[in-house]
Structures are given as structure tokens and as C-alpha cells.
Amino acid sequence: MSDLPTVIEPDESVSLRDYAEKAYLDYSMYVILDRALPNVGDGLKPVQRRIIYAMSELGLKATAKYKKSARTVGDVIGKFHPHGDSAAYEAMVLMAQPFSYRYPLVDGQGNWGSADDPKSFAAMRYTESRLTGYADALLGELGQGTVDWTPNFDGTMDEPSVLPAQVPNVLLNGTTGIAVGMATDIPPHNLREVVTATIRLLEYPKSTVDDLCEHIQAPDFPTTAEIITSREDIKAFYRSGRGSIKMRAHWVKEDGAIIIDAIPYQVSGARVLEQIAAQMQAKKLPLVSDLRDESDHENPTRLVIVPKSNRVDIEALMSHLFATTDLERSYRINLNLIGNDGRPAVKSLDTILREWLAFRTETVTRRLQYRLEKVLARLHLLEGYLVAYLNIDEVIHIIRTEDKPKAVLIERFGLSDAQAEAVLELKLRNLAKLEEMKIRGEQDELNLEREQLELTLGSTARMRTLIKKELLAIADRFGDERSSPLVQRAEAKAFSEKELMSTEPVTVVLSAKGWIRAAKGHDVDPESLSYKAGDAFSLAAAGRSNQSAILIDDTGRAYTLPSHNLPSARGQGEPVTGRINPPTGSSFKALLMGDEKDKVLLASDAGYGFVTELGHLMAKNKAGKSVLNLPPGAQVLSPALIPAGDDLLVASVSSEGRLLVFPLSDLPELARGKGNKIISIPSARVKTREEMMTAVAVLTPEAKLVLHAGKRHLSLKLQELDHYRGERGRRGSKLPRGLQNVDFLVAEHPSVS
């Protein structure tokens, strides 16, 4: 190293730490200011601005012929952009995609990607491009003294630092970008809404965000999917500059199928179908039988979801899909941009529009000032032409004879240097053709224009009016209706595991030794199933596979088992104690199935009972929960399912052959407990088990009550039951001889008889 020449003086040396820190900070600021963030003025990042400017310089206006994208990008790279050609082309592609930009700046021929796969665009040698009509809103005033010019990356030529945008393009097309330590996520908006809000702020400078939100309803994405975020939440992120917004796919019902005709911004339809198909394959979406993608040129988005049957709740199904797929999407809002002061900051809606109006006012002022200077310069020359015309012979003579005619003309006629130069630049034959009328006519026109320009420049009100007129003209030229409707929707809710289960009919069977299994269908004879040696049928209940089986033991505890995962009835099942933990020595007295809202009458043979919902009997833990309190010496009776209907009756029978019938409404509805007295039995006789309630049933007014006593039975209709009617808690009336030893009661309803 000693033989190398010393370039840095000792006093200029810096530590490696300081050098690295400065290099990193320099790079960070370069990324923030010259790559990632848009400018409030034209809403473009540098690479986008360079592409648009280069295309305008190449003459690629909306009316021009298309040009190979490779040539366009080559010009950008060569003259303005210090990065690679792929980066420039990707930026160009983004500005050409109507599904990405609300108002595209580039008009492309060839494959520029699709909404389904935005990155599937062709190589740039296969595509052609030109500017769209809307690009004129950014470029129209370019050569009119409106732009600050800065040297390009290698200093060989100048480029515009900000394009003279005639509308707040930063809001219209939005942008996303990641810088060092910060990011930007600006959603697109509707041009007409933004223009009306800008005019509102122009006319009423003290307008708040709430005032502006009367015009700007919400972001407006290039899709007809619904914005479901509430108006208050939208106003909140417009106030702070940060927040999020939700979009949801739009769907209709057609011939029993679900047709999705619009999906959220930048969501792939193929990806959505993949997500739904994955749920179907995992058997987590039994409600759907088929999926189709019927998208074509006429219908860019048409996804078909076919439900399993017409009984499927489509609203609930779509709510599940919104919660579990990209059919509903949330977008981050971060209004971070480079302001007029050249600094990045997160800004509120009113601040963005105020800054843009300041930028626009300065641009218009510079444009008018530039034009005024041109007019004054031309008027000055016209004065010289008029002098030359009035003294045409003398002027021609001076030009022909004098060696330095310019100095002579200045001295003789009092012309300025510019006027004399202009006269001399005219050919003699054109000089001779000068006409006073034409000169004075042009002077009058220019003087009129000068007065107008000076009045506008000198009046704030006139300047506002001019800006307003120009904004309205742009809105009239490029404006359109809102694309994304605002719709208030309920929050999407995914199906629970239970709701996603199939609803096939099943019969749950429990053996005397406590082995449990489930048979498909309801036409099952549980007693005819095979049992282990020494075992036999005990209990059975019919229900559906999405319902739980509820077991009640002789201590009054209830246990819950999901029926869908019980072993098949083809085998002999499995011990129920492997799934629940009943007290040692207990046995099961009841097995129930049904919906959570179904009601059942729980009773003990002491003559007490109450009405409860099946949902109250369901327990989450293996040890179950206590639901029926038993008096001393009492046992659990088989519960009675309560049918739907009014004027229901309770029939109870005691071991002494007493029958009591009373309205069901006299019994309380409880979640757990002992209940109220159904039929009167002395507690002392219950303890010694001398007398007990042997059976209970619930029947409708149309039903028949069938009493089974050994091999004999008795059917009683409503009129015949009147003899046994009484108040709840009474002893009841004696049954006929031979039918007093009742084993069980059956309520035969007309629908099942």
C-alpha cells in the first residue's frame, strides 16, 4: 500500500464507521426520493416519469403509431434511467394494465398480462406501446415554461423533475412502494370525485376532510367488486393518512349456482378457485359439489360455484368463503409521498389536495408568465416591424449600402438590438411585403391577450377560476362513473367444524356393557346388531351426523359425544369410557340426539322433573356435567322428547297404577336442577322404593297415549284422558284393573302412527 499515491489528505480522512453510515444514509435517501415514493405534483415515481417523458419525446402520443416497447425502454435506459431494462419495462407494464391502473398512462399491443396473472406479460421485444389520451393530462403543458429541468443520471441532458400534471394523479392511479424504513400504499380514486373535491377546497380553503369526503366517497379500484369498509373508517384513514380498506367479490345467484362476476383488486380468480378446491379436497367444504371458471373476453370474471343441493344456505356459504379465501381482501392504506418541500411524509387527504393545489397554482402561474413574456417579446418585435414598414425605402437602402446596417438602423430609428436583429433576419422580399394592417391586427390581438394574462396573474380570484375551468375540462374529457360500489355488509364468518359436517341420518347405539357405535340411516334395528358375548342392546337414538349424542347416567350427569366420529356399526364399537369419564359403577339411563334448541322433559322416579333444551345438556369436558338432581332413593327416568306444537300435555304414571295428565306449561324450563313435582309420591315411600313414578310422556292434543303393562296395552284419546286430568303434583286417578302395573308410555302422534 505504501507505494500507492495518497489521494485523500490527512485532514479529509474519515473513519470506516462514519463512511459506512454516510453511505447507507445516502443510499436510503436515494431510494426514498428517487425510486420508491411518488411526488405529490404528478403522482409518479422517477422511473415512471422518465418513461412517460421519453415516450412523449419519441412522439408516441395517443394518435401516433405503436412502437416496439424494446425501443422505447432502450431510449429511457440510454438517456434517463440508471437501472436495468427489466425494471423499466415492469414499471411500463404496470402503467399499461387497466386492471392495475385506474387511468392507464400507456396503451399497449401484445401480451401485457392479465388480471388473473399480472406478471405473465411478454418480453418487451414482442410488445408495442404508445401513450394513452389521459397521459396528456400530465404532458400537455410540458413546453410552456412549467417545468424545472434537472440533469439526467450522466449529466448529458436535462429531464423534468416533476411533470406539470393538470389533475391530482397521485390519488387517481395510486401507487405502492417500499423504501428504507418506510412504505407507501396509495389506493386509486375516481377522477370526477377527486376533481369535485379539489374544486371544493379551491373555493373553500378551510374545508375539512369530512367536507371533502362528501365528494370523495372512498377509493375507486379498477374492479366492480364491493368496498365494504364503513364510511367512518374510510374518513378515519383520510384524516390520519393510515388505515385499511376491505373489498369483497360481487356475486349473483343464477339457476341455483353462485356466479362471481367481480373479484377484489389484484386478486387472481384462478387462485380463488384453488383455495376453494383445496377446502373441498380436505373435505372441509361438503356444501359445494362443483367449481368452474367460465371467464372469457365478454365476461373477464365469471367463477361458478355449484352448491350440493338447493337446501344449502347460500348466504352462509358465501360468508364462509369470504372469511377463508381471497374473495374478501383487506388493503393497507399509507398515504406517504414526497411533498412540495421535497420531503417524504404521511399526509391526510386535505393536506395532499392543498399541496397539489399549491403546485398547480405555481404551474399555471409559470405557464401564464411564460406566455406573457412571449407575447411581450412579440409585441416588441412588431413595433420594430412597424417602424421598418413606415420607412421601408430607407430601411432597404441602409441594408443594401451599409457595411454594418444593424448599428445604423438602431441609431436612425431608435430600434432595440432585438428589433434590429428581427428586421435584418427578414429577407428583403419579405420586408417589402410587410403590411401595416396585418402588423396592427396582430398587435391588437396580442395586446388583448396581454391584458387578459396580466389581469389573471394579478388576481387570485381569476387564477382560481382558471384552475377550476381547467380541472372541469379534464374531468369532462377523462372522467367516468365510479367503478367500485360502496356497500355495507355484515362481517364474514367462517363455518365452524360442526357446521361443515355432513348431515347424514345416523342411529347411535349403546350396549349394556357401555360399547358405543353409529349406524348410517334411521331404518336400523339396534337389537339385531351383533354384540360381544354377555353383552346386549341397551339404548339407541336417531339423529344426524352433525348432531351430538347426549348420554345421561344414573347419577344425573350428562355427557356429550360428537356422532360423526363414532365407530361404524359394522363392528361392535368401542368402550364409551375411552371418550368420557363417568363415575365408577355408574350406568347409562338415557341416550338423546337432536338440535340444540330441541326440548326434552327430564324426570326422576321420585316424581320431579323439568323442561330443558338439549343445548343445556351438552358438556365440553369428559367428566360431563350434573343436570338432574336426584332426591334420596330416586333414579333417573327415560327422558321424554317434546314435540313441536301448542297445548302440549304431560302424562305420568306411578307404580301404584295412578295416571295424571296436566298441561306441559305448568312445568318450569330450567338448565339444571331437581325440577318441580309432576305426580305426588311421599318421599318416605321413594326412599324405600315402595312407590315411584314409572314413566312420563309428552303428547299433543291430537295424539293417543298408549300404556304398556306386560303383554297388555291401552290406547287413550284426548277425550278419554279427561278422567285423568288434574293439577300438577296431584296423586292422579287409578287405571283399570290389569293395567295398573305400567311398564312404559308411548305417545302416538298422527304423523308417525
Side-chain angles (χ1 to χ4, degrees), residues 331-402:
Y331 301 89
R332 185 174 63 180
I333 307 290
N334 189 17
L335 306 181
N336 188 15
L337 42 82
I338 298 168
N340 288 333
D341 58 358
R343 295 171 181 269
V346 176
K347 301 177 188 289
S348 61
L349 177 65
D350 59 331
T351 307
I352 291 172
L353 290 180
R354 277 197 179 90
E355 287 209 18
W356 185 84
L357 275 173
F359 165 81
R360 182 63 188 154
T361 304
E362 187 189 350
T363 302
V364 172
T365 303
R366 289 174 67 170
R367 189 188 81 214
L368 297 180
Q369 198 66 52
Y370 179 80
R371 179 60 189 163
L372 181 61
E373 287 169 7
K374 289 277 188 189
V375 167
L376 291 172
R378 181 64 180 167
L379 281 170
H380 184 62
L381 294 184
L382 287 173
E383 284 176 19
Y385 287 154
L386 194 60
V387 168
Y389 170 75
L390 295 172
N391 302 279
I392 188 71
D393 294 334
E394 194 174 347
V395 168
I396 290 171
H397 178 74
I398 291 170
I399 292 169
R400 282 178 173 170
T401 57
E402 296 292 335

Side-chain angles (χ1 to χ4, degrees), residues 455-518:
L455 280 169
T456 305
L457 285 165
S459 167
T460 307
R462 282 176 179 267
M463 185 66 80
R464 281 179 186 167
T465 305
L466 177 63
I467 293 170
K468 179 183 172 180
K469 280 183 181 176
E470 290 177 353
L471 279 167
L472 288 170
I474 294 290
D476 188 55
R477 186 176 170 194
F478 301 113
D480 55 4
E481 295 300 318
R482 167 171 277 280
S483 178
S484 306
L486 274 75
V487 187
Q488 290 281 39
R489 299 285 187 198
E491 189 176 351
K493 186 183 174 187
F495 286 136
S496 62
E497 191 179 345
K498 187 178 175 183
E499 289 172 311
L500 286 170
M501 289 173 204
S502 59
T503 56
E504 298 166 348
V506 292
T507 303
V508 177
V509 181
L510 184 73
S511 75
K513 295 282 179 92
W515 286 64
I516 196 164
R517 49 188 152 169

